[in-house]
Amino acid sequence: MSETRVYADEFQTTFASIGEMLEFLAERTNTSKWVRRPTKSLRLIPLKKDGEQLEDTLDEDILEDTDRNTQLILKLKDEAYPVRNCAIKTILSRAGIGGAGLRKLDKTNYAKVVNYCLKVAKGDALIKIADGKVSAVHGGDQHDYSILDIQTIFEMTVQYLNQEFSGSTYIEGSGCYDHMVVTAMWELGGNQKLLDTYRDAMKDHAIEDKIQAPALRLATSDTASSSVTLYPMLLCESGGRTIHLGHPIRLPHDKGATLQNFYDNLKLIASRYKDAITDISKLMEVEIRNPINCMRLVMDKFGIKKKLINEVVELFQAQHGTGTCTAHDLYFAMNEASFFAACERMQGHSIVSLEEDIAKALSVDWAEYDVFGAIKW
């Protein structure tokens, strides 16, 4: 793992151990801060326009990276910070502006339009500055945005799992950091009773048991791209493959959310598994006569990229053919999209979003997409 370019917009790293991850997060805490300013006092300026006067106060490498990305600086009266890609959405939200037309403007006019709106915005802005750049500009009024320290969240999770799920282990390499989301997974070993109902259902349907253990993913961010979310999952025996079970336990960063609220959510893990297992077991009862069409249409419904859909479908067809199967078979196959996305170096926040989209298939009416013949998708 290298931290030499952690300031870069495209920086991403993974962690071999949870200790390594917690150490990294502690360092990020030391190199970041939160500041509160009146929203109407904020100003965007194009990097190139004021570049000469900024060179003396801002790191040259950070400026070069900003020039390759947003090409924008955020001025906070007596301070100025380069803007990271992940901050743009929140800046526009504070300005109360959006639309595809903004992206067509050159940086000078883009900044002017946003600044016109910032000048008349009400309330305070809560600004996250991390590793030399602005990562987010949240609402700074009471209950707008609650700061939930990422390092503490992961430490609480480790402590809780060690206490309540004996045998739980961090999955090596599952911890991932980029500037939009931080995520990690644990195998809940020693808790096979969580899977008893599911394994019984698999036996009833003569399905081979390839599930190794229940697993848990935690994902969170400071940039409004993710709530603090716990995802119940299944860990398969082959290649560390995972199956998303839906029913995530979410804590949004608003309405005065606290770390105690997150701890209360940790206590819901066992019951949420029972609900999730019940739902995925029901898919074994749903017969699909046209699996290829059905899979394409369901995945397309949730906006999954066609390239990923094609890769998933080709793998399923090679392994299972085109004959009758169950919705359970298709849902398992759809989860391969995460593997293909990782192979294409998709960033962590995008993979988390992809898995959430796939999990939405648990609640669809599969019969609606089980159609015969040529389809448009």
Side-chain angles (χ1 to χ4, degrees), residues 181-199:
V181 71
V182 188
T183 181
M185 287 185 63
W186 290 264
E187 177 182 339
L188 304 185
N191 293 275
Q192 298 301 315
K193 63 182 181 180
L194 291 175
L195 299 179
D196 286 346
T197 301
Y198 186 50
R199 287 195 166 121

PDB file of all heavy atoms in Angstrom, residues 181-199:
ATOM      1  N   VAL A 181     -15.833   6.433  -0.599  1.00  0.00           N
ATOM      2  CA  VAL A 181     -16.390   5.430   0.300  1.00  0.00           C
ATOM      3  C   VAL A 181     -15.269   4.604   0.903  1.00  0.00           C
ATOM      4  O   VAL A 181     -14.204   4.422   0.294  1.00  0.00           O
ATOM      5  CB  VAL A 181     -17.398   4.516  -0.449  1.00  0.00           C
ATOM      6  CG1 VAL A 181     -16.688   3.595  -1.419  1.00  0.00           C
ATOM      7  CG2 VAL A 181     -18.252   3.713   0.531  1.00  0.00           C
ATOM      8  N   VAL A 182     -15.498   4.119   2.125  1.00  0.00           N
ATOM      9  CA  VAL A 182     -14.598   3.192   2.788  1.00  0.00           C
ATOM     10  C   VAL A 182     -15.410   1.945   3.116  1.00  0.00           C
ATOM     11  O   VAL A 182     -16.526   2.042   3.654  1.00  0.00           O
ATOM     12  CB  VAL A 182     -14.017   3.782   4.088  1.00  0.00           C
ATOM     13  CG1 VAL A 182     -12.940   2.862   4.644  1.00  0.00           C
ATOM     14  CG2 VAL A 182     -13.457   5.177   3.843  1.00  0.00           C
ATOM     15  N   THR A 183     -14.866   0.775   2.803  1.00  0.00           N
ATOM     16  CA  THR A 183     -15.634  -0.454   2.981  1.00  0.00           C
ATOM     17  C   THR A 183     -14.726  -1.594   3.408  1.00  0.00           C
ATOM     18  O   THR A 183     -13.526  -1.591   3.134  1.00  0.00           O
ATOM     19  CB  THR A 183     -16.384  -0.824   1.681  1.00  0.00           C
ATOM     20  OG1 THR A 183     -17.149  -2.006   1.880  1.00  0.00           O
ATOM     21  CG2 THR A 183     -15.418  -1.031   0.526  1.00  0.00           C
ATOM     22  N   ALA A 184     -15.307  -2.567   4.112  1.00  0.00           N
ATOM     23  CA  ALA A 184     -14.578  -3.771   4.511  1.00  0.00           C
ATOM     24  C   ALA A 184     -15.586  -4.882   4.777  1.00  0.00           C
ATOM     25  O   ALA A 184     -16.782  -4.625   4.983  1.00  0.00           O
ATOM     26  CB  ALA A 184     -13.725  -3.523   5.755  1.00  0.00           C
ATOM     27  N   MET A 185     -15.099  -6.141   4.776  1.00  0.00           N
ATOM     28  CA  MET A 185     -15.968  -7.299   4.990  1.00  0.00           C
ATOM     29  C   MET A 185     -15.376  -8.218   6.057  1.00  0.00           C
ATOM     30  O   MET A 185     -14.163  -8.326   6.192  1.00  0.00           O
ATOM     31  CB  MET A 185     -16.164  -8.087   3.695  1.00  0.00           C
ATOM     32  CG  MET A 185     -17.059  -7.421   2.689  1.00  0.00           C
ATOM     33  SD  MET A 185     -17.340  -8.495   1.256  1.00  0.00           S
ATOM     34  CE  MET A 185     -18.181  -9.880   2.043  1.00  0.00           C
ATOM     35  N   TRP A 186     -16.293  -8.878   6.764  1.00  0.00           N
ATOM     36  CA  TRP A 186     -15.906  -9.876   7.750  1.00  0.00           C
ATOM     37  C   TRP A 186     -16.664 -11.170   7.497  1.00  0.00           C
ATOM     38  O   TRP A 186     -17.858 -11.152   7.165  1.00  0.00           O
ATOM     39  CB  TRP A 186     -16.241  -9.402   9.167  1.00  0.00           C
ATOM     40  CG  TRP A 186     -15.388  -8.284   9.657  1.00  0.00           C
ATOM     41  CD1 TRP A 186     -14.275  -8.360  10.425  1.00  0.00           C
ATOM     42  CD2 TRP A 186     -15.598  -6.873   9.403  1.00  0.00           C
ATOM     43  NE1 TRP A 186     -13.766  -7.107  10.675  1.00  0.00           N
ATOM     44  CE2 TRP A 186     -14.560  -6.180  10.064  1.00  0.00           C
ATOM     45  CE3 TRP A 186     -16.552  -6.148   8.690  1.00  0.00           C
ATOM     46  CZ2 TRP A 186     -14.445  -4.798  10.036  1.00  0.00           C
ATOM     47  CZ3 TRP A 186     -16.450  -4.766   8.641  1.00  0.00           C
ATOM     48  CH2 TRP A 186     -15.408  -4.101   9.317  1.00  0.00           C
ATOM     49  N   GLU A 187     -15.976 -12.293   7.634  1.00  0.00           N
ATOM     50  CA  GLU A 187     -16.640 -13.593   7.634  1.00  0.00           C
ATOM     51  C   GLU A 187     -17.115 -13.867   9.045  1.00  0.00           C
ATOM     52  O   GLU A 187     -16.339 -13.798  10.000  1.00  0.00           O
ATOM     53  CB  GLU A 187     -15.668 -14.686   7.194  1.00  0.00           C
ATOM     54  CG  GLU A 187     -16.267 -16.075   7.241  1.00  0.00           C
ATOM     55  CD  GLU A 187     -15.287 -17.160   6.850  1.00  0.00           C
ATOM     56  OE1 GLU A 187     -14.284 -16.823   6.168  1.00  0.00           O
ATOM     57  OE2 GLU A 187     -15.504 -18.328   7.232  1.00  0.00           O
ATOM     58  N   LEU A 188     -18.407 -14.152   9.188  1.00  0.00           N
ATOM     59  CA  LEU A 188     -18.977 -14.402  10.513  1.00  0.00           C
ATOM     60  C   LEU A 188     -18.864 -15.885  10.829  1.00  0.00           C
ATOM     61  O   LEU A 188     -19.864 -16.581  11.048  1.00  0.00           O
ATOM     62  CB  LEU A 188     -20.424 -13.917  10.579  1.00  0.00           C
ATOM     63  CG  LEU A 188     -20.651 -12.442  10.215  1.00  0.00           C
ATOM     64  CD1 LEU A 188     -22.098 -12.047  10.434  1.00  0.00           C
ATOM     65  CD2 LEU A 188     -19.717 -11.525  11.001  1.00  0.00           C
ATOM     66  N   GLY A 189     -17.646 -16.403  10.814  1.00  0.00           N
ATOM     67  CA  GLY A 189     -17.403 -17.806  11.117  1.00  0.00           C
ATOM     68  C   GLY A 189     -17.846 -18.136  12.532  1.00  0.00           C
ATOM     69  O   GLY A 189     -17.856 -17.291  13.420  1.00  0.00           O
ATOM     70  N   GLY A 190     -18.216 -19.403  12.742  1.00  0.00           N
ATOM     71  CA  GLY A 190     -18.699 -19.812  14.054  1.00  0.00           C
ATOM     72  C   GLY A 190     -20.149 -19.468  14.272  1.00  0.00           C
ATOM     73  O   GLY A 190     -20.692 -19.670  15.355  1.00  0.00           O
ATOM     74  N   ASN A 191     -20.815 -18.947  13.224  1.00  0.00           N
ATOM     75  CA  ASN A 191     -22.228 -18.557  13.334  1.00  0.00           C
ATOM     76  C   ASN A 191     -23.045 -19.226  12.245  1.00  0.00           C
ATOM     77  O   ASN A 191     -23.886 -18.606  11.597  1.00  0.00           O
ATOM     78  CB  ASN A 191     -22.363 -17.034  13.240  1.00  0.00           C
ATOM     79  CG  ASN A 191     -21.739 -16.342  14.429  1.00  0.00           C
ATOM     80  OD1 ASN A 191     -22.371 -16.192  15.457  1.00  0.00           O
ATOM     81  ND2 ASN A 191     -20.481 -15.944  14.284  1.00  0.00           N
ATOM     82  N   GLN A 192     -22.792 -20.511  12.049  1.00  0.00           N
ATOM     83  CA  GLN A 192     -23.477 -21.236  10.991  1.00  0.00           C
ATOM     84  C   GLN A 192     -24.985 -21.337  11.228  1.00  0.00           C
ATOM     85  O   GLN A 192     -25.747 -21.569  10.299  1.00  0.00           O
ATOM     86  CB  GLN A 192     -22.871 -22.634  10.857  1.00  0.00           C
ATOM     87  CG  GLN A 192     -21.389 -22.639  10.478  1.00  0.00           C
ATOM     88  CD  GLN A 192     -21.130 -21.938   9.168  1.00  0.00           C
ATOM     89  OE1 GLN A 192     -21.846 -22.143   8.189  1.00  0.00           O
ATOM     90  NE2 GLN A 192     -20.108 -21.077   9.123  1.00  0.00           N
ATOM     91  N   LYS A 193     -25.429 -21.148  12.468  1.00  0.00           N
ATOM     92  CA  LYS A 193     -26.866 -21.218  12.735  1.00  0.00           C
ATOM     93  C   LYS A 193     -27.630 -20.138  11.984  1.00  0.00           C
ATOM     94  O   LYS A 193     -28.836 -20.282  11.748  1.00  0.00           O
ATOM     95  CB  LYS A 193     -27.140 -21.113  14.231  1.00  0.00           C
ATOM     96  CG  LYS A 193     -26.723 -19.790  14.862  1.00  0.00           C
ATOM     97  CD  LYS A 193     -26.996 -19.797  16.351  1.00  0.00           C
ATOM     98  CE  LYS A 193     -26.597 -18.472  17.003  1.00  0.00           C
ATOM     99  NZ  LYS A 193     -26.857 -18.456  18.456  1.00  0.00           N
ATOM    100  N   LEU A 194     -26.941 -19.061  11.602  1.00  0.00           N
ATOM    101  CA  LEU A 194     -27.599 -18.029  10.792  1.00  0.00           C
ATOM    102  C   LEU A 194     -28.045 -18.579   9.453  1.00  0.00           C
ATOM    103  O   LEU A 194     -28.945 -18.038   8.814  1.00  0.00           O
ATOM    104  CB  LEU A 194     -26.642 -16.850  10.567  1.00  0.00           C
ATOM    105  CG  LEU A 194     -26.289 -15.978  11.773  1.00  0.00           C
ATOM    106  CD1 LEU A 194     -25.247 -14.945  11.389  1.00  0.00           C
ATOM    107  CD2 LEU A 194     -27.531 -15.298  12.333  1.00  0.00           C
ATOM    108  N   LEU A 195     -27.414 -19.673   9.007  1.00  0.00           N
ATOM    109  CA  LEU A 195     -27.696 -20.222   7.687  1.00  0.00           C
ATOM    110  C   LEU A 195     -28.549 -21.488   7.741  1.00  0.00           C
ATOM    111  O   LEU A 195     -28.837 -22.073   6.692  1.00  0.00           O
ATOM    112  CB  LEU A 195     -26.384 -20.548   6.958  1.00  0.00           C
ATOM    113  CG  LEU A 195     -25.451 -19.368   6.702  1.00  0.00           C
ATOM    114  CD1 LEU A 195     -24.192 -19.853   5.995  1.00  0.00           C
ATOM    115  CD2 LEU A 195     -26.137 -18.308   5.869  1.00  0.00           C
ATOM    116  N   ASP A 196     -28.953 -21.938   8.917  1.00  0.00           N
ATOM    117  CA  ASP A 196     -29.663 -23.211   9.031  1.00  0.00           C
ATOM    118  C   ASP A 196     -30.920 -23.249   8.172  1.00  0.00           C
ATOM    119  O   ASP A 196     -31.168 -24.214   7.443  1.00  0.00           O
ATOM    120  CB  ASP A 196     -30.021 -23.494  10.494  1.00  0.00           C
ATOM    121  CG  ASP A 196     -28.802 -23.902  11.311  1.00  0.00           C
ATOM    122  OD1 ASP A 196     -27.762 -24.210  10.698  1.00  0.00           O
ATOM    123  OD2 ASP A 196     -28.896 -23.902  12.553  1.00  0.00           O
ATOM    124  N   THR A 197     -31.726 -22.201   8.240  1.00  0.00           N
ATOM    125  CA  THR A 197     -32.974 -22.159   7.459  1.00  0.00           C
ATOM    126  C   THR A 197     -32.680 -22.225   5.971  1.00  0.00           C
ATOM    127  O   THR A 197     -33.360 -22.928   5.217  1.00  0.00           O
ATOM    128  CB  THR A 197     -33.758 -20.870   7.779  1.00  0.00           C
ATOM    129  OG1 THR A 197     -34.050 -20.841   9.172  1.00  0.00           O
ATOM    130  CG2 THR A 197     -35.049 -20.816   6.983  1.00  0.00           C
ATOM    131  N   TYR A 198     -31.656 -21.505   5.556  1.00  0.00           N
ATOM    132  CA  TYR A 198     -31.303 -21.454   4.139  1.00  0.00           C
ATOM    133  C   TYR A 198     -30.793 -22.804   3.646  1.00  0.00           C
ATOM    134  O   TYR A 198     -31.189 -23.288   2.591  1.00  0.00           O
ATOM    135  CB  TYR A 198     -30.241 -20.374   3.943  1.00  0.00           C
ATOM    136  CG  TYR A 198     -29.887 -20.099   2.501  1.00  0.00           C
ATOM    137  CD1 TYR A 198     -30.866 -19.859   1.548  1.00  0.00           C
ATOM    138  CD2 TYR A 198     -28.560 -20.064   2.096  1.00  0.00           C
ATOM    139  CE1 TYR A 198     -30.541 -19.592   0.235  1.00  0.00           C
ATOM    140  CE2 TYR A 198     -28.215 -19.785   0.788  1.00  0.00           C
ATOM    141  CZ  TYR A 198     -29.217 -19.557  -0.137  1.00  0.00           C
ATOM    142  OH  TYR A 198     -28.890 -19.288  -1.438  1.00  0.00           O
ATOM    143  N   ARG A 199     -29.948 -23.432   4.438  1.00  0.00           N
ATOM    144  CA  ARG A 199     -29.408 -24.731   4.033  1.00  0.00           C
ATOM    145  C   ARG A 199     -30.512 -25.784   3.983  1.00  0.00           C
ATOM    146  O   ARG A 199     -30.502 -26.659   3.122  1.00  0.00           O
ATOM    147  CB  ARG A 199     -28.283 -25.144   4.981  1.00  0.00           C
ATOM    148  CG  ARG A 199     -27.005 -24.339   4.752  1.00  0.00           C
ATOM    149  CD  ARG A 199     -25.817 -24.987   5.436  1.00  0.00           C
ATOM    150  NE  ARG A 199     -24.580 -24.405   4.951  1.00  0.00           N
ATOM    151  CZ  ARG A 199     -23.679 -23.791   5.707  1.00  0.00           C
ATOM    152  NH1 ARG A 199     -23.892 -23.682   6.995  1.00  0.00           N
ATOM    153  NH2 ARG A 199     -22.578 -23.308   5.187  1.00  0.00           N
TER     154      ARG A 199
END
